[in-house]
Amino acid sequence: MRDKASEKAVSRLIDEFTRLRKEQSLSHEALARKTGLNRSAISLIESKKRTPTILTCFKITKALDISLDTLIKKVSADS
């Protein structure tokens, strides 16, 4: 059984990753270099074709200079 609320929360988190990346004028390639992930992984996550693991979320938020807990609180408050 799918948990729609959790899926929606992850979707909002990914939207926030994308917003922050663009706000910082980072390309997929630049974010990939900062995270140690590959460019296609970043692209697949942002297009919501791949769900990031918690470790991937930590890597992305660190590269975007924001803590994961801060971002989760922001996304939760927006709902």
Side-chain angles (χ1 to χ4, degrees):
M1 179 194 264
R2 296 175 73 160
D3 180 352
K4 298 280 186 188
S6 294
E7 289 177 8
K8 191 173 180 181
V10 171
S11 179
R12 287 192 308 267
L13 187 66
I14 292 169
D15 291 343
E16 207 45 36
F17 288 158
T18 303
R19 186 190 69 74
L20 289 166
R21 177 185 63 77
K22 289 178 178 179
E23 185 179 273
Q24 295 177 29
S25 301
L26 293 171
S27 65
H28 286 158
E29 186 67 36
L31 183 57
R33 278 193 305 272
K34 290 180 83 168
T35 60
L37 302 169
N38 62 46
R39 186 211 50 81
S40 63
I42 300 294
S43 180
L44 288 169
I45 290 167
E46 286 191 5
S47 64
K48 300 177 184 170
K49 293 179 181 172
R50 179 180 291 170
T51 302
T53 65
I54 191 75
L55 178 59
T56 298
C57 289
F58 275 114
K59 288 178 180 182
I60 292 171
T61 54
K62 182 178 179 185
L64 295 172
D65 199 31
I66 188 169
S67 68
L68 183 55
D69 63 323
T70 298
L71 197 57
I72 289 171
K73 287 175 187 173
K74 179 187 182 333
V75 168
S76 298
D78 291 345
S79 38

